[in-house]
Amino acid sequence: TASVFKDISIGAAGILKPDSSASITVSGNWSNSGTFTHNSGTVQFNGSTAQALTGDTFYNLTINNSHAAPDDTNDVDSSAAVTVTNTLTVSDGQFQPTTASSFKDISIIATGIFKADSSANINVSGNWSKTGTFTPNTGTVTFNGAVAQTLTGETFYNLTINNTYTTPDDSNDVDSSALVTVTNLLTVTDGQFQPTTASVFKDISIGANGILKADSSANINVSGNWANSGAFTANTGTVTLNGTNQTISGNSTFYNLTKSVTTARTLTFE
């Protein structure tokens, strides 16, 4: 159950099916134009130079590339969407998946770098844990599970909450354990999102089935516009609008609302 390979090439009529729960390591490249059956096992990319893989579906995928100075040229790079149905672990080196890649749980360890392609959209149906580095580029991360999801503090470019749990509440939502920063757009399409205090957002859009409910007494900052056609639960917290000219649209009830400026600015209610 601990097979070791350099390059793997699966031809159109070929089938690679490791034993159930087997672990295999790949120090070179992975090319699949046939069939790979993951069989609830783990594939680990553990080279020391650049590694390439075609799009594929894994159960557990571990990136443990030991290149001394990982970057966009010296990383583990996919040429098509990657699906991981259990856990993606980036323990060392940089992993750069393409747009439309989908993961259940993501764990980025201290020396790991997760950097999706520029403007890539990736989906996460489980939990997000990071002690390493996540580079958002100008992409979108969508939390689209059907049960409770958790995330550690993180900086995203676009963050979309699209959790389909039938009756979202404080136990069944997308919940952060530390502050979240979204530098472009937070969209709460479905389900409840519960960020911690000190979270920072640019634009916020709450869809008809979405709920934004910051932690009790949380202070959140918004530098862009606020659009609400769903539900905002204020708790006993403060929303600080700290951008230039800003707009609030839709019906929202705030506990504390502050507009912070250094020169005269306009706050528009629509």
Side-chain angles (χ1 to χ4, degrees):
T1 63
S3 299
V4 177
F5 306 96
K6 184 176 180 288
D7 297 324
I8 290 181
S9 178
I10 308 170
I15 303 170
L16 175 59
K17 181 181 179 180
D19 288 343
S20 179
S21 303
S23 296
I24 66 174
T25 59
V26 182
S27 62
N29 300 320
W30 176 290
S31 175
N32 181 13
S33 55
T35 301
F36 170 63
T37 303
H38 62 62
N39 219 3
S40 301
T42 298
V43 174
Q44 178 179 185
F45 283 79
N46 68 339
S48 58
T49 59
Q51 296 183 262
L53 66 148
T54 51
D56 221 320
T57 297
F58 303 94
Y59 183 73
N60 293 319
L61 174 62
T62 298
I63 307 301
N64 191 28
N65 184 286
S66 58
H67 191 278
D71 55 22
D72 291 357
T73 303
N74 299 285
D75 62 356
V76 181
D77 202 328
S78 72
S79 61
V82 172
T83 298
V84 179
T85 60
N86 193 49
T87 302
L88 166 67
T89 304
V90 186
S91 56
D92 197 7
Q94 177 173 289
F95 179 45
Q96 190 164 12
T98 69
T99 193
S101 292
S102 297
F103 309 98
K104 185 177 175 283
D105 296 325
I106 292 180
S107 177
I108 309 168
I109 309 300
T111 54
I113 304 168
F114 182 41
K115 180 181 181 181
D117 285 345
S118 180
S119 302
N121 300 315
I122 65 170
N123 298 309
V124 181
S125 62
N127 301 321
W128 176 290
S129 173
K130 187 207 79 174
T131 57
T133 301
F134 170 62
T135 303
N137 277 325
T138 53
T140 299
V141 175
T142 298
F143 283 78
N144 65 344
V147 295
Q149 297 183 260
T150 61
L151 67 149
T152 50
E154 190 59 87
T155 296
F156 302 94
Y157 182 73
N158 293 319
L159 174 62
T160 298
I161 306 300
N162 191 28
N163 184 286
T164 57
Y165 189 84
T166 307
T167 53
D169 54 26
D170 290 358
S171 298
N172 299 283
D173 62 357
V174 181
D175 202 327
S176 70
S177 61
L179 69 92
V180 172
T181 297
V182 180
T183 60
N184 192 51
L185 176 62
L186 167 66
T187 304
V188 187
T189 305
D190 197 4
Q192 177 174 290
F193 179 44
Q194 191 163 10
T196 68
T197 193
S199 291
V200 176
F201 308 100
K202 184 176 177 283
D203 295 323
I204 291 179
S205 176
I206 308 170
N209 294 318
I211 304 167
L212 176 60
K213 180 181 181 181
D215 285 345
S216 180
S217 303
N219 300 315
I220 64 172
N221 298 305
V222 181
S223 62
N225 297 318
W226 176 290
N228 181 15
S229 56
F232 169 64
T233 303
N235 278 324
T236 55
T238 299
V239 175
T240 298
L241 304 175
N242 60 353
T244 54
N245 297 331
Q246 295 177 265
T247 298
I248 295 177
S249 58
N251 296 320
S252 296
T253 299
F254 300 93
Y255 184 76
N256 293 318
L257 176 64
T258 299
K259 171 64 176 165
S260 175
V261 297
T262 56
T263 60
R265 301 294 184 184
T266 300
L267 176 59
T268 302
F269 295 90
E270 296 180 343

